[in-house]
Amino acid sequence: MATGGVGAVYQTTTNPLVATGDGIAMVYRAKGTVKDMEFVQFHPTALYHPGDRPSFLITEAMRGYGAVLRTMDGKEFMQKYDPRLSLAPRDIVARAIDNEMKNRGDDHVYLDVTHKDPEETRKHFPNIYEKCLSLGIDITKEYIPVAPAAHYLCGGILVDLNAQSSIERLYAVGECSCTGLHGGNRLASNSLIEAVVYADAAAKHTLEVVDQYDYNPDIPEWNDEGTRSPEEMVLITQSMKEVNQIMSTYVGIVRSDLRLKRAWDRLDILYEETESLFKRSVASKEICELRNMINVGYLIMRQAMERKESRGLHYTIDYPHAKK
Ligand SMILES: Cc1cc2nc3c(=O)[nH]c(=O)nc-3n(C[C@H](O)[C@H](O)[C@H](O)COP(=O)(O)OP(=O)(O)OC[C@H]3O[C@@H](n4cnc5c(N)ncnc54)[C@H](O)[C@@H]3O)c2cc1C
């Protein structure tokens, strides 16, 4: 099983919008073990362009190249957070940007490469140059508006070294899995390598054990007797937007007990409404995705509430330090 990340649970994300956590939610409902869901990685610099979903990614290589972060009034701010300034790691930069945006009430910050040689910038970052130009921003002359976006989930379906979940014969590979390899904070670029290594292990293990199992080919058809035609789509799409708002507002980069409790209470209302809708309407892709998003949101907040410390990608103002 590989059904990607869970970014679409958040309002701002770099993930494709099919990333609604379907695999994780299925395993959770089947009583499999799901772990480390509180460790959601936010990419610090997604292009801020309201209405774009998913958000376009401005690679961190740009900060490596010399790009400088600035608030909307043009001032540098990373000196307040880390001696490495704009070269600080992803989670520190994302938290710093989040803090500046919240304190100032701004929707984004800027990434500035205008001091670099324009020819070099175009050569190193042709896609970013073209994308921004298409929106009327010449990055060799103007600052790039950026904001953090949900990007990667370290946790997921707990698997062993063969990629097998706690449910026998169910394998999980890729972002939906939790191998433990990333700990609480993924280093950039490790996920694709992880997926390849675990897919190889899963394939080999399956070949070793495949003869030991019987299969039941008599799986009954889905029975939707007693359900009515799908409800108005607006009920589902509106609830999806509410999940996005709850997750981004209260379960984002910086958390607190109060924010998580508030998120929990609001998600609970959506859960009750959606379960009742699901039971009485013919199943559609959209209602299944909404249900899965609510399941995944619930898992992220419950596991965030259980972790009474700040560690890796989970940061809470109520417990700002890691437990020893
Ligand atoms: C913009 C961006 C840049 C990234 N850059 C890097 C990088 O440089 N290096 C790195 O290591 N990682 C990177 N990552 C992370 C990496 O791409 C993902 O972790 C990885 O692709 C996850 O693989 P996957 O197979 O689990 O999911 P995906 O690649 O998302 O594939 C999941 C597939 O499942 C399908 N699907 C979804 N729902 C269902 C369903 N219900 N039923 C059936 N099919 C379904 C989807 O259509 C998709 O084809 C990046 C991620 C993003 C978003």
Side-chain angles (χ1 to χ4, degrees):
M1 171 193 291
T3 48
V6 302
V9 167
Y10 285 88
Q11 202 162 11
T12 315
T13 179
T14 61
N15 287 186
L17 300 186
V18 288
T20 48
D22 302 332
I24 296 172
M26 272 156 53
V27 168
Y28 172 68
R29 283 196 294 269
K31 310 279 184 277
T33 308
V34 174
K35 192 171 174 285
D36 289 353
M37 293 292 286
E38 67 276 34
F39 298 125
V40 179
Q41 184 166 65
F42 286 79
H43 196 288
T45 56
L47 180 65
Y48 176 78
H49 185 245
D52 263 8
R53 204 160 176 268
S55 303
F56 181 79
L57 196 70
I58 305 291
T59 170
E60 292 192 284
M62 208 162 223
R63 298 204 319 279
Y65 169 72
V68 174
L69 286 159
R70 300 182 185 279
T71 41
M72 279 179 79
D73 56 2
K75 295 205 175 93
E76 287 187 44
F77 58 88
M78 277 309 297
Q79 69 283 0
K80 291 191 251 171
Y81 300 94
D82 196 283
R84 290 163 287 186
L85 308 176
S86 294
L87 288 176
R90 198 175 260 202
D91 55 321
I92 294 175
V93 175
R95 270 203 295 278
I97 296 176
D98 184 70
N99 197 42
E100 290 296 323
M101 283 167 48
K102 288 216 166 82
N103 284 345
R104 297 171 46 87
D106 290 344
D107 290 333
H108 64 81
V109 296
Y110 283 120
L111 198 59
D112 169 20
V113 275
T114 57
H115 53 287
K116 302 292 284 185
D117 175 46
E119 204 44 54
E120 281 293 299
T121 301
R122 277 192 288 267
K123 202 172 99 198
H124 277 90
F125 307 104
N127 293 341
I128 295 175
Y129 176 76
E130 287 300 331
K131 169 71 184 179
C132 291
L133 202 59
S134 76
L135 301 174
I137 305 162
D138 180 347
I139 65 169
T140 64
K141 299 192 185 105
E142 293 160 283
Y143 298 165
I144 310 168
V146 292
H151 184 59
Y152 185 82
L153 174 70
C154 290
I157 303 158
L158 185 66
V159 293
D160 62 16
L161 288 173
N162 295 316
Q164 190 167 207
S165 71
S166 61
I167 300 172
E168 206 179 16
R169 287 188 277 168
L170 183 71
Y171 297 78
V173 173
E175 198 167 326
C176 68
S177 71
C178 174
T179 62
L181 192 137
H182 305 297
N185 194 353
R186 177 184 76 124
L187 280 176
S189 282
N190 276 354
S191 44
L192 295 178
I193 304 165
E194 178 201 51
V196 170
V197 169
Y198 275 80
D200 180 63
K204 287 177 178 149
H205 189 252
T206 321
L207 288 175
E208 275 170 30
V209 297
V210 71
D211 294 335
Q212 299 167 17
Y213 296 123
D214 288 332
Y215 293 91
N216 176 9
D218 301 321
I219 297 170
E221 286 298 310
W222 182 260
N223 181 355
D224 60 7
E225 214 175 295
T227 57
R228 293 198 311 255
S229 56
E231 298 282 339
E232 281 181 292
M233 199 52 79
V234 67
L235 296 180
I236 297 171
T237 51
Q238 187 54 34
S239 295
M240 282 178 169
K241 284 184 194 155
E242 286 177 44
V243 175
N244 290 158
Q245 273 164 3
I246 293 168
M247 295 305 291
S248 288
T249 311
Y250 302 118
V251 201
I253 298 171
V254 176
R255 298 161 181 173
S256 73
D257 285 348
L258 191 62
R259 290 180 201 176
L260 291 172
K261 169 79 174 68
R262 191 171 276 206
W264 183 278
D265 292 344
R266 280 154 177 71
L267 197 73
D268 199 40
I269 297 170
L270 288 173
Y271 169 76
E272 295 293 345
E273 283 174 2
T274 306
E275 284 307 294
S276 129
L277 193 64
F278 182 73
K279 282 188 189 121
R280 64 173 195 268
S281 45
V282 173
S284 65
K285 171 177 152 292
E286 288 78 10
I287 191 148
C288 291
E289 285 185 342
L290 171 61
R291 244 182 131 212
N292 293 338
M293 286 167 71
I294 292 172
N295 267 186
V296 165
Y298 162 79
L299 285 166
I300 296 172
M301 51 182 89
R302 193 185 76 192
Q303 296 189 3
M305 280 169 148
E306 282 166 5
R307 189 169 286 283
K308 305 285 185 206
E309 63 170 340
S310 290
R311 180 179 294 277
L313 296 162
H314 172 69
Y315 183 82
T316 162
I317 52 178
D318 291 313
Y319 315 95
H321 304 291
K323 277 186 190 159
K324 291 263 165 13

